[in-house]
């Protein structure tokens, strides 16, 4: 890095921005987080706020251990591809190593599984659509059996990009079948050489030294977060923001455990048709003014993380938090923007607020106050090439959209999309009763304008909203979140569609259905 570039970095402004963010967490009895600023050699600044533990009232520090969640992905990709001696090639198919998988899932390449273009349905979201709560325990073996039942994909591999944790789970399973464990690789190649406390627990309930609780808030106050799904290498690593920063410094310096890592992980990836993607292998590429930065975020129940690196300028930002409401990506961008003295694009309100749906497809878009929610996953909108274009800065859910006076059109996930304002219809009276998924024995009932799912005290109830053309939008509570998905009716079957899972088909249970109009 040149001395001119070094002198142009605004370390004080970045630390002030970080402290402004963490100060908002300094409220009595609230959780918090920490942000670090660093180059390859030195921790240049940090900011902390809130509490690491609401029971003991211990303040959050740079040494508080959290769940990194999907920040794990770049660490796993590093170890699986560069350090495992497993002989994996990005062009190998999953089926070469996991013969239990069915086509077309078996034909997805390892590269597509790791770069979010594989169309692999996300396990957590698929189970959620079957009525399995975030709290329910699911073991690794049972999940693999579940994935082997049906080889369906959300979309043909390579045709669009959409976030899914399943590819990382499957590649981890490939290593396991070779006798290679993620935790062993993590300790041997990263934690021990760098003398940092990284761990990769298999479940939420494994003991992790120093781990602070994650929290989410409802109308009655803060709650301790918990999740039952087997963690997998898509999001299992734990550590502090100090430990994360040490690892990221080795990436910036391109030495020791970090040697060759950024070059491999950030190598350009492409969809079919040579369409470039900003998502690499567990890393994303973002633009801040004239600068290109690389990073990734993570989100577990009650935990939020993000890091951004500018290898050319030898600088980085890392954020960890133990509160569900943290907007980690936005905060990381703000701090990096201040450091680079490069303003973010202005927020966009080019798309009118409202609910939109595509024609003869189960896709919908909700726009509200400069935020777009596509298939239930929301992202901030920023001004694109001109004031009439709205874009996201997200690599795993890129949007580039315009309002033409009658419709919203453009691309989402690099796939063409066209949305018109929803024209509700009265299909409810035709779909009353029970709908059944024979493979999993799951079912839900439509009673009036409500969808009811689950058994006994676990039964939940969600509101139905018409999207027109035989489609109903569902909103159901699920622990700290609300899940949104579409019911797409086609005769005696209905497909359940959300951003990360679009493969489940339920069928009418004639013994428990009623064709009477909704009351």
């Amino acid at each position: 890095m040149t001395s001119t570039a070094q002198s142009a970095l605004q370390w004080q402004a970045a630390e002030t921005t970080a402290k402004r963010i963490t100060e908002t967490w300094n409220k009595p009895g609230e959780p918090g987080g920490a942000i670090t600023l660093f180059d390859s050699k030195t921790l240049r600044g940090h900011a902390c706020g809130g509490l690491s533990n609401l029971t003991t009232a211990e303040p959050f520090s740079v040494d508080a251990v959290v769940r990194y969640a999907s920040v794990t992905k770049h660490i796993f990709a590093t170890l699986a591809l560069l350090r495992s001696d497993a002989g994996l090639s990005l062009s190998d198919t999953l089926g070469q190593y996991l013969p239990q998988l069915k086509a077309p899932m078996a034909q997805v390449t390892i590269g597509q599984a790791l770069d979010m273009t594989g169309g692999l349905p996300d396990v957590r979201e698929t189970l959620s659509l079957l009525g399995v709560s975030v709290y329910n325990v699911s073991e690794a073996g049972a999940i693999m059996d579940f994935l082997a039942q049906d080889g369906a994909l959300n979309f043909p591999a390579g045709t669009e990009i959409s976030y899914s944790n399943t590819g990382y789970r499957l590649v981890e399973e490939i290593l396991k079948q070779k006798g290679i464990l993620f935790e062993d690789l993590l300790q041997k190649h990263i934690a021990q050489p760098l003398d940092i406390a990284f761990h990769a627990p298999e479940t939420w309930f494994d003991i992790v030294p120093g781990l602070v609780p994650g929290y989410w808030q409802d109308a009655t106050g803060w709650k301790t977060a918990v999740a039952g799904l087997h963690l997998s290498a898509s999001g299992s690593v734990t550590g502090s923001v100090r430990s994360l920063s040490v690892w990221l410094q080795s990436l910036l310096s391109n030495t020791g455990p970090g040697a060759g890592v950024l070059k491999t992980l950030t190598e350009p990836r492409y969809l079919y048709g040579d369409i470039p993607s900003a998502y690499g292998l567990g890393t994303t590429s973002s633009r801040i003014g004239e600068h290109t930065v690389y990073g990734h975020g993570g989100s577990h129940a009650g935990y939020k993380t993000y890091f951004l690196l500018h290898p050319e300028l030898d600088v980085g930002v890392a954020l960890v938090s133990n509160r569900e409401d943290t907007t980690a990506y936005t905060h990381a961008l703000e701090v990096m923007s201040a450091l680079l003295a490069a303003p973010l694009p202005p927020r966009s309100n080019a798309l009118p607020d409202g609910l939109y749906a595509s024609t003869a497809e189960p896709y919908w878009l909700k726009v509200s106050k400069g935020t777009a929610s596509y298939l239930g996953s929301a992202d901030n909108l920023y001004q694109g090439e001109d004031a009439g274009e709205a874009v996201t800065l997200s690599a795993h859910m890129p949007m580039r959209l315009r309002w033409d006076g009658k419709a919203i059109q453009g691309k989402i996930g690099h796939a063409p999309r066209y949305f018109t304002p929803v024209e509700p219809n009265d299909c409810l009276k035709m779909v009353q009763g029970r709908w059944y998924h024979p493979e999993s024995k799951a079912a839900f009932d439509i009673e009036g304008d409500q969808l009811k799912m689950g058994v006994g005290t676990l039964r939940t109830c969600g509101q139905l909203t018409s999207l027109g053309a035989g489609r109903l939008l569902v909103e159901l509570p699920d622990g700290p979140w609300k899940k949104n998905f579409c019911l797409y009716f086609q005769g005696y079957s209905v497909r359940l569609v959300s951003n990360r899972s679009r493969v489940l088909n339920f069928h009418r249970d004639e013994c428990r259905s009623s064709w009477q109009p909704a009351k």
Side-chain angles (χ1 to χ4, degrees):
M1 181 173 59
T2 67
S3 58
T4 301
Q6 174 73 56
S7 63
L9 293 171
Q10 304 295 310
W11 291 105
Q12 187 58 53
E15 187 168 0
T16 299
T17 301
K19 288 181 177 178
R20 174 180 56 78
I21 293 166
T22 59
E23 179 61 30
T24 65
W25 300 330
N26 279 327
K27 298 174 183 176
E30 293 202 5
I35 301 171
T36 56
L37 295 147
F38 50 88
D39 57 29
S40 60
K41 297 182 177 62
T42 309
L43 190 66
R44 301 292 296 261
H46 72 274
C48 302
L51 302 176
S52 66
N53 191 310
L54 302 192
T55 302
T56 63
E58 182 178 354
F60 208 103
S61 75
V62 293
D63 295 308
V65 176
V66 300
R67 299 186 188 277
Y68 292 151
S70 288
V71 163
T72 297
K73 287 182 170 63
H74 84 282
I75 298 172
F76 175 73
T78 298
L79 295 171
L81 299 174
L82 298 177
R83 309 288 188 256
S84 71
D85 297 323
L88 302 183
S89 167
L90 295 177
S91 60
D92 294 343
T93 64
L94 296 174
Q96 287 177 233
Y97 302 97
L98 302 173
Q100 68 269 44
L101 297 182
K102 298 176 182 177
M105 184 180 291
Q107 297 160 345
V108 173
T109 68
I110 287 177
Q112 291 170 331
L114 299 179
D115 72 9
M116 304 301 169
T117 65
L120 296 163
D122 185 81
V123 168
R124 170 74 194 97
E125 197 143 315
T126 304
L127 291 175
S128 176
L129 295 181
L130 291 172
V132 179
S133 166
V134 62
Y135 301 122
N136 295 141
V137 174
S138 299
E139 303 291 345
I143 292 172
M144 281 306 303
D145 292 342
F146 177 71
L147 286 169
Q149 287 178 4
D150 189 336
L153 299 176
N154 288 341
F155 49 82
T159 61
E160 64 179 274
I161 185 169
S162 182
Y163 198 86
S164 173
N165 291 293
T166 301
Y168 286 77
R169 177 180 294 278
L170 292 174
V171 177
E172 181 184 24
E173 182 64 22
I174 291 172
L175 296 188
K176 281 184 178 179
Q177 294 196 7
K178 292 176 174 286
I180 303 171
L181 299 181
F182 181 31
E183 169 71 6
D184 293 344
L185 292 174
L186 186 66
Q187 296 307 317
K188 178 180 178 181
H189 296 288
I190 297 178
Q192 292 172 5
L194 294 177
D195 191 25
I196 55 177
F198 275 6
H199 292 286
E202 293 269 337
T203 78
W204 198 274
F205 311 103
D206 293 347
I207 302 300
V208 177
L211 181 66
V212 304
Y215 298 97
W216 62 284
Q217 192 175 28
D218 68 6
T220 65
W222 290 98
K223 308 293 182 185
T224 305
V226 68
L229 185 73
H230 172 261
L231 292 173
S232 90
S234 66
S236 59
V237 173
T238 62
S240 66
V241 75
R242 187 193 298 275
S243 291
L244 179 60
S245 301
V246 170
W247 158 245
L248 295 173
Q249 285 176 309
S250 77
L251 269 59
L252 287 174
S253 66
N254 196 31
T255 59
V261 170
L262 279 180
K263 182 178 185 300
T264 298
L265 300 189
T266 62
E267 191 75 22
R269 303 288 300 168
Y270 296 89
L271 289 77
Y272 288 149
D274 292 329
I275 299 171
S277 169
Y279 196 100
L281 303 172
T283 58
T284 66
S285 170
S286 302
R287 296 285 294 176
I288 302 178
E290 298 301 314
H291 299 272
T292 298
V293 294
Y294 301 96
H296 206 282
S299 175
H300 266 320
Y303 299 93
K304 296 289 180 284
T305 57
Y306 218 97
F307 74 90
L308 289 173
L309 300 177
H310 195 317
E312 186 179 349
L313 295 182
D314 186 37
V315 295
V317 172
L319 178 153
V320 304
S321 173
N322 67 336
R323 50 188 297 154
E324 177 66 28
D325 61 359
T326 300
T327 55
Y329 182 42
T330 300
H331 290 334
L333 284 174
E334 290 171 345
V335 176
M336 183 61 85
S337 171
L339 178 61
L340 301 174
L344 296 170
R347 292 291 299 274
S348 173
N349 288 295
L351 307 182
D353 286 2
L355 187 61
Y356 303 83
S358 54
T359 303
E361 293 172 320
Y363 305 133
W364 79 95
L365 183 75
K366 183 179 181 180
V367 180
S368 177
K369 299 178 182 178
T371 298
S373 177
Y374 173 64
L375 304 187
S377 292
D379 215 326
N380 291 333
L381 295 172
Y382 295 85
Q383 182 175 308
E385 294 180 354
D386 54 62
E389 184 179 61
V391 302
T392 62
L393 303 182
S394 167
H396 65 263
M397 196 167 66
M399 299 187 193
R400 191 168 290 276
L401 302 168
R402 291 180 182 272
W403 168 251
D404 66 7
K406 296 181 179 179
I408 293 174
Q409 55 184 313
K411 291 186 176 181
I412 299 180
H414 302 296
R417 292 287 181 257
Y418 185 88
F419 303 96
T420 56
V422 163
E423 297 181 6
N425 65 352
D426 188 18
C427 75
L428 268 172
K429 63 184 178 183
M430 301 297 293
V431 298
Q432 296 291 303
R434 172 154 295 188
W435 296 81
Y436 186 63
H437 187 257
E439 294 84 358
S440 66
K441 307 298 186 291
F444 63 82
D445 297 292
I446 295 179
E447 299 177 5
D449 62 354
Q450 303 284 312
L451 181 141
K452 298 182 178 181
M453 179 182 285
V455 297
T457 57
L458 302 180
R459 195 158 176 80
T460 58
C461 180
Q463 183 67 37
L464 295 169
T465 303
S466 174
L467 292 175
R471 299 164 300 186
L472 294 171
L473 186 60
V474 186
E475 183 178 279
L476 273 173
D478 188 15
W481 309 306
K482 287 188 182 295
K483 55 186 176 185
N484 291 273
F485 58 95
C486 173
L487 301 178
Y488 183 40
F489 294 94
Q490 296 172 297
Y492 288 92
S493 68
V494 57
R495 183 146 59 105
L496 276 61
V497 178
S498 67
N499 189 48
R500 300 187 184 183
S501 180
R502 314 173 197 176
V503 297
L504 294 177
N505 289 284
F506 282 60
H507 304 281
R508 182 177 285 282
D509 184 347
E510 293 292 356
C511 297
R512 295 292 303 277
S513 296
S514 167
W515 289 86
Q516 299 302 312
K519 297 180 181 179

